[in-house]
């Protein structure tokens, strides 16, 4: 049961991320193609259409291969864990890492190659910007925007509820709590029951999730709100709706997942469900979460690019950001006060690496993760 | 209100921001009491430096178009109320001086007074009646105020007639 769920999760993750990578060029903004600024009317250029199609085809093939590799990896991992020889398990893990990371590397390399081709086409066609316009909407704050940060206070009742539930279940828990199960569902590691090991771990886990997801929400709120100078009102509204949808999804999934996982751990410690079954439920729950996120991205498009069907595409290039986007996806602009900006090739947000705050964040997140791991190891 | 800047234009960016906000106040898109975005948010959205937006806001404050209300940030000011008599006198002098300069230049190029006045009138009509680039003047009648922010008076029969005349409808039985 756990084996099937594990393999299913591996394959589903490889498939989902691979397909999203494959169709990313179709989800990007109208004035960008493979991380190059182009006039919106150029999206109908047969050369650019061919580049996108070829990229998607190659990535679909890579995704199929990586999904099969993930399947094989899962099988290796499960077979290997039953044996004393560590090699099959190690092969399984290595293969799974490859199945997840190699499509990302290939998509990046392909994107760079296509980007160079688009730059050549741009130079040949003479698509230069006659202006460097930027738009900001002022005062119209009744338009859509991301949820306010205060909504993350919803994590507090979740954590308090988990604490109360844990305290209520504590007397009913056995003296040795199951901590690890193998793929057959048999528990093979226990820890003595203390408040820390029984209730501490779910609480610390929920706190960590709340901290990470609140940070993500904060980043969405702090982001630059991009607007297309050729269609300021529609692009501002589309971005607002996109940011709102992403922040709502982040909050709902975060609250449900952190609360759900905390409660599941408590129930497994108390013996109501097996530790193996807990693992299966969590893995199965991951799949709709990932698929939901991808569906959201596909429906809205990056920065809301798919929300309005354009009736007319202009020829004019009103702004050109190419020089600030290093390697197409790394934004570096010391003259820009923004700290978070929407991604150029991908769904979501990235940082302005000219801001020291961006580097502080990049260091801070691993530090937070290490703090979480240390806290858990002290409790259990 | 949609603020548009162009970094390739010969005008400095802070000047563009200042001009557009003043124009928006003139058109009624920005009303006294409207909160302008924080310096950081505006700089971030426009992709420019904090200093540029700070300069624009500083110029607007000096000219009396906005004031800072502590934590609430920049707020559009009611020029007539907030500006001191010296400032109003200075602005009146500036208006007179600029018009005089334009009139002189027009004269030097061989134009007549009538042409100048005609052009001045059409530009003034344009400025005072402009509904704005991206939409009509904000309709404040919902909150019981007219476009200048003053409370709407009760409409008497005289004014009603005036309004229906403006709409091109002949009032019945009057």
């Amino acid at each position: 049961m756990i084996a099937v769920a594990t393999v299913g999760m591996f394959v589903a993750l490889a498939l989902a991320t691979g397909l999203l990578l494959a169709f990313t060029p179709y989800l990007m903004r109208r004035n960008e193609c493979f991380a190059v600024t182009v006039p919106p009317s150029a999206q109908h250029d047969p050369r650019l259409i061919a580049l996108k199609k070829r990229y998607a085809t190659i990535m679909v093939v890579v995704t199929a291969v990586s999904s099969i590799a993930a399947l094989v990896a899962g099988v290796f991992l499960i077979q290997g864990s039953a044996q004393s020889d560590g090699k099959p398990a190690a092969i399984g893990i290595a293969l799974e890492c490859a199945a997840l990371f190699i499509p990302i590397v290939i998509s990046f390399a392909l994107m760079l190659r296509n980007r160079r081709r688009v730059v050549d086409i741009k130079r040949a066609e003479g698509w230069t910007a006659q202006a460097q316009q930027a738009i900001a909407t002022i005062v119209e704050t009744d338009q859509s925007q991301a949820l306010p940060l205060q909504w993350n206070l919803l994590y507090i009742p979740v954590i308090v509820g988990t604490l109360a539930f844990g305290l209520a279940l504590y007397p009913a828990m056995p003296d040795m709590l199951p901590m690890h199960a193998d793929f057959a569902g048999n528990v093979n590691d226990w820890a003595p029951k203390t408040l820390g090991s029984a209730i501490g771990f779910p609480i610390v886990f929920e706190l960590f999730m709340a901290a990470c997801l609140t940070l993500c929400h904060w980043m969405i709120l702090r982001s630059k709100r991009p607007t297309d100078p050729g269609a300021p009102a529609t692009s501002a509204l589309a971005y607002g709706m996109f940011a709102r949808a992403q922040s709502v999804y982040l909050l709902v999934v975060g609250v449900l997942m952190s609360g759900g996982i905390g409660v599941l751990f408590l129930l497994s410690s108390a013996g109501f469900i097996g530790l193996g079954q807990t693992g299966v439920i969590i893995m199965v729950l991951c799949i709709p979460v990932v698929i939901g996120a991808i569906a959201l991205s596909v429906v809205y498009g990056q920065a809301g690019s798919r929300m309005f069907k354009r009736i007319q595409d202009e020829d004019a290039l009103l702004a050109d950001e190419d020089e600030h986007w290093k390697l197409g996806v790394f934004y570096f602009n010391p003259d820009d006060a923004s700290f978070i900006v929407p991604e150029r090739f991908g769904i979501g947000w990235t940082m302005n690496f000219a801001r020291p705050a961006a580097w502080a964040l990049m260091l801070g997140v691993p530090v937070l993760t290490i703090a979480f791991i240390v806290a858990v190891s002290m409790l259990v | 209100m949609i603020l548009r800047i162009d970094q390739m234009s010969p005008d400095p960016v802070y000047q563009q921001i200042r001009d557009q906000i003043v124009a928006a106040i003139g058109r009624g898109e920005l009303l006294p009491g409207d909160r302008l975005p924080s310096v950081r948010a505006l700089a971030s959205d426009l992709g420019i430096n904090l200093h540029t937006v700070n300069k624009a806001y500083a110029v607007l404050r000096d000219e009396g178009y906005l004031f800072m209300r502590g934590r609430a940030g920049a707020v559009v000011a009611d020029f007539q109320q907030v500006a001191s008599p010296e400032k109003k006198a200075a602005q009146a002098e500036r208006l007179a001086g600029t018009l005089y300069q334009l009139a002189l230049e027009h004269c030097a190029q061989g134009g007549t007074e009538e042409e100048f006045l005609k052009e001045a009138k059409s530009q003034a009509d344009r400025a005072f009646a402009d509904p704005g680039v991206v939409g009509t003047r904000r309709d404040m009648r919902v909150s019981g105020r007219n476009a200048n922010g003053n409370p709407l008076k009760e409409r008497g029969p005289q004014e009603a007639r005036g309004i229906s005349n403006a709409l091109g409808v002949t009032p019945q039985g009057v």
Side-chain angles (χ1 to χ4, degrees):
Chain A
M1 194 51 218
I2 306 175
V4 171
T6 310
V7 172
M9 187 190 71
F10 279 8
V11 174
L13 275 179
L15 255 180
T17 50
L19 286 176
L20 183 65
L21 286 172
F23 294 110
T24 296
Y26 297 102
L27 304 175
M28 295 300 106
R29 298 169 65 186
R30 300 291 306 162
N31 59 348
E32 283 165 3
C33 182
F34 287 109
V36 180
T37 309
V38 296
S41 58
Q43 298 288 351
H44 303 298
D45 189 311
R47 290 167 293 182
L48 295 185
I49 295 178
L51 280 177
K52 285 195 219 174
K53 206 181 286 187
R54 201 159 350 119
Y55 172 93
T57 319
I58 297 176
M59 284 310 300
V60 164
V61 168
V62 166
T63 303
V65 168
S66 73
S67 305
I68 295 172
L71 183 73
V72 170
V75 167
F76 263 102
L77 198 61
I78 291 164
Q79 303 280 38
S81 66
Q83 299 168 0
S84 50
D85 176 14
K87 251 195 11 197
I91 294 176
I93 293 173
L95 206 53
E96 173 61 15
C97 289
L100 284 178
F101 284 117
I102 288 187
I104 296 176
V105 170
I106 292 180
S107 97
F108 183 61
L110 265 181
M111 183 275 290
L112 284 178
R113 194 175 69 161
N114 285 344
R115 180 167 165 261
R116 215 167 298 137
R117 298 223 180 105
V118 176
V119 166
D120 291 338
I121 295 174
K122 184 174 173 181
R123 204 176 302 134
E125 296 290 319
W127 293 330
T128 43
Q130 300 306 319
Q132 185 68 359
Q133 292 190 5
I135 304 273
T137 24
I138 294 188
V139 175
E140 291 166 30
T141 46
D142 48 346
Q143 307 278 328
S144 285
Q145 44 186 325
L147 285 182
L149 205 59
Q150 285 81 8
W151 278 89
N152 287 290
L153 291 173
L154 275 179
Y155 283 105
I156 292 182
V158 169
I159 294 171
V160 168
T162 313
L163 185 65
F165 191 53
L167 287 171
L169 279 181
Y170 189 71
M173 290 183 192
D175 284 330
M176 293 296 277
L177 300 174
M179 281 292 140
H180 188 268
D182 64 14
F183 282 106
N186 305 318
V187 182
N188 51 17
D189 190 20
W190 289 261
K193 173 172 102 167
T194 63
L195 271 177
S197 63
I199 305 176
F201 172 65
I203 298 290
V204 168
F205 174 77
E206 288 180 359
L207 280 170
F208 178 64
M209 287 276 282
C212 283
L213 295 179
T214 307
L215 181 67
C216 289
H217 190 168
W218 177 81
M219 286 173 70
I220 296 178
L221 281 169
R222 273 288 237 118
S223 159
K224 164 197 285 216
R225 291 174 300 168
T227 331
D228 179 4
T234 45
S235 61
L237 181 64
Y239 175 78
M241 292 165 77
F242 168 77
R244 187 176 192 82
Q246 293 276 354
S247 61
V248 166
Y249 191 72
L250 198 70
L251 184 74
V252 165
V253 162
V255 165
L256 289 178
M257 287 295 278
S258 61
I261 292 177
V263 163
L264 277 172
F265 270 116
L266 287 174
L267 289 175
S268 84
S269 295
F272 287 109
I273 51 176
L275 191 62
Q277 288 169 317
T278 311
V280 168
I281 295 174
I282 293 175
M283 279 192 282
V284 165
L285 282 179
C286 281
I287 296 178
V289 168
V290 169
I291 291 181
I294 292 176
L296 196 72
S297 308
V298 167
V299 165
Y300 281 85
Q302 168 62 347
S305 63
R306 287 173 64 84
M307 300 224 60
F308 288 96
K309 276 269 174 277
R310 289 288 210 99
I311 304 144
Q312 201 183 26
D313 286 323
E314 321 84 37
D315 284 320
L317 205 54
L318 292 170
D320 194 332
E321 283 193 343
D322 285 351
E323 61 174 321
H324 303 304
W325 288 91
K326 315 297 178 194
L327 288 180
V329 290
F330 298 108
Y331 189 63
F332 188 92
N333 187 356
D335 289 327
D336 190 342
S338 315
F339 160 44
I340 313 277
V341 298
E343 275 195 47
R344 197 169 214 214
F345 191 76
I347 306 283
W349 287 264
T350 181
M351 298 188 285
N352 181 357
F353 288 101
R355 297 259 143 255
W359 296 99
L361 197 73
M362 280 186 68
L363 285 176
V365 170
V367 163
L368 184 71
T369 312
I370 291 171
F372 167 66
I373 294 172
V374 164
V376 167
S377 64
M378 283 201 303
L379 284 171
V380 172
Chain B
M1 181 231 154
I2 287 179
L3 188 69
R4 183 189 298 256
I5 59 154
D6 186 353
Q7 296 195 25
M8 271 200 209
S9 145
D11 298 327
V13 173
Y14 79 90
Q15 187 78 29
Q16 294 178 44
I17 297 174
R18 178 248 167 224
D19 288 344
Q20 292 208 19
I21 290 183
V22 169
I25 294 173
R27 283 194 302 263
E29 275 185 76
L30 286 177
L31 294 171
D34 282 344
R35 287 235 302 267
L36 292 177
S38 70
V39 174
R40 188 172 304 175
L42 186 60
S44 169
D45 286 348
L46 291 173
I48 55 179
N49 221 326
L50 285 174
H51 302 307
T52 315
V53 177
N54 269 322
K55 275 164 78 170
Y57 277 19
V59 166
L60 286 165
R61 274 173 76 183
D62 273 348
E63 292 181 346
Y65 292 107
L66 65 81
F67 60 91
M68 306 299 271
R69 196 187 277 163
R71 291 191 60 199
V75 172
V76 176
D78 188 348
F79 189 87
Q80 289 299 318
Q81 280 182 4
V82 167
S84 59
E86 295 88 23
K87 197 170 288 181
K88 289 186 196 172
Q91 292 285 25
E93 216 181 287
R94 188 164 155 260
L95 178 68
T98 322
L99 282 173
Y100 181 60
Q101 188 67 28
L102 287 171
L104 272 182
E105 280 177 21
H106 188 75
C107 192
Q109 291 160 9
T112 66
E113 190 177 340
E114 278 138 22
E115 279 172 22
F116 182 77
L117 284 175
K118 195 163 135 224
E119 189 57 43
K121 176 89 175 52
S122 71
Q123 292 302 327
D125 285 341
R126 198 176 138 218
F128 282 88
D130 185 4
V133 171
V134 281
T136 51
R137 190 189 305 254
R138 290 224 318 247
D139 187 6
M140 294 296 282
R141 283 176 293 176
V142 189
S143 55
R145 294 176 182 278
N146 68 8
N148 296 325
N150 302 318
L152 279 175
K153 298 180 293 214
E154 286 295 322
R155 290 215 199 99
Q158 297 271 17
E159 289 191 276
R161 213 184 310 143
I163 288 171
S164 44
N165 275 338
L167 289 172
V169 172
T170 354
Q172 305 274 354
V174 173

